[in-house]
């Protein structure tokens, strides 16, 4: 249901410039949850935006982050209607973050990591480690440099805080086989 709501939100926003009005009867979807939404065009990243703490019901968080991923990820131009058939939606529902006692407490592929040092910070979802095959050290170094804009070894600094979380991932390609073909033909 959440994937169908996200697709409706994406299509409505990109085609009409409107925020879709959505409803759900599912109790889980009404719980406040943190979520990241990733858009992939033909398998390549096309947008990703999320929040690390719950602030709204999950179904509204999915809708809002989907719209933001399509229009506010500064790495990309806003998604155009002609791209909809080639774009798939994935989202990760996050657990509450917990402070990591040390870098060795991070289990790659299971934990996502949030890093904070001063006014800078960054986040990698758990699936980043699985997708890249990085070691723990490389994962943390890339988090420091790519996401936080800090030196690659900032994770070794005692003033750097590390938080871990888990995520449940859902994607159209996992649950709706052939979605891209149907979207482009209809």
């Amino acid at each position: 249901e959440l994937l169908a709501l996200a697709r409706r939100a994406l299509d409505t926003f990109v085609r009409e410039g409107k925020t879709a009005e959505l409803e759900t009867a599912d109790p889980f979807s009404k719980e406040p949850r943190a979520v990241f939404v990733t858009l992939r065009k033909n398998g390549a990243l096309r947008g990703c935006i999320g929040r690390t703490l719950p602030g709204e019901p999950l179904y509204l968080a999915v809708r809002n982050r989907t719209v933001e991923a399509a229009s506010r990820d500064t790495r990309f131009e806003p998604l155009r209607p002609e791209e909809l058939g080639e774009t798939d939606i994935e989202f990760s529902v996050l657990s509450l973050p917990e402070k990591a006692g040390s870098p060795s407490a991070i289990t790659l592929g299971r934990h996502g990591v949030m890093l904070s040092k001063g006014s800078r910070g960054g986040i990698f979802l758990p699936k980043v480690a699985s997708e890249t095959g990085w070691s723990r050290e490389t994962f943390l170094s890339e988090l420091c440099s790519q996401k936080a804009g800090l030196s690659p070894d900032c994770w070794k600094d005692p003033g750097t805080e590390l938080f871990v979380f888990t995520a449940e991932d859902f994607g159209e390609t996992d649950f709706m086989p052939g979605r891209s073909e149907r979207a482009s033909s209809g």
Side-chain angles (χ1 to χ4, degrees), residues 12-23:
T12 300
F13 181 78
V14 172
R15 292 185 196 282
E16 303 172 25
K18 298 178 184 175
T19 301
E21 294 297 324
L22 304 176
E23 294 291 329

Side-chain angles (χ1 to χ4, degrees), residues 124 134 141-150:
F124 272 149
W134 290 335
S141 293
E142 292 296 326
L143 179 58
C144 289
S145 60
Q146 275 189 39
K147 294 294 188 164
L150 296 165

Side-chain angles (χ1 to χ4, degrees), residues 28-178:
F28 176 77
S29 295
K30 291 181 177 183
E31 293 178 17
R33 299 295 298 265
V35 67
F36 270 72
V37 172
T38 302
L39 302 179
R40 294 191 187 276
K41 180 181 173 187
N42 296 322
L45 182 65
R46 184 59 178 83
C48 181
I49 291 198
R51 302 256 169 96
T52 57
L53 296 172
E56 58 196 334
L58 178 58
Y59 78 102
L60 293 177
V62 166
R63 177 195 67 187
N64 295 337
R65 300 306 83 77
T66 299
V67 166
E68 291 169 1
S71 63
R72 294 190 183 144
D73 186 329
T74 57
R75 299 171 291 179
F76 303 95
E77 292 294 319
L79 195 69
R80 299 178 315 272
E82 59 270 18
E83 295 178 281
L84 286 169
E86 302 167 318
T87 304
D88 291 304
I89 302 167
E90 303 170 0
F91 56 87
S92 299
V93 180
L94 279 53
S95 68
L96 290 174
E98 298 177 4
K99 189 161 184 164
S102 71
S104 63
I106 299 166
T107 303
L108 294 179
R110 172 171 164 64
H111 291 131
V113 179
M114 287 183 275
L115 175 141
S116 176
K117 182 177 181 183
S119 64
R120 313 277 313 211
I123 183 171
F124 272 149
L125 296 172
K127 64 184 174 182
V128 171
S130 302
E131 291 171 354
T132 62
W134 290 335
S135 67
R136 181 183 298 122
E137 291 77 17
T138 301
F139 180 86
L140 291 169
S141 293
E142 292 296 326
L143 179 58
C144 289
S145 60
Q146 275 189 39
K147 294 294 188 164
L150 296 165
S151 69
D153 63 350
C154 80
W155 60 274
K156 297 175 184 176
D157 185 324
T160 300
E161 294 184 299
L162 298 173
F163 298 87
V164 295
F165 61 91
T166 58
E168 291 182 68
D169 297 322
F170 302 88
E172 286 180 318
T173 57
D174 298 326
F175 293 98
M176 303 168 82

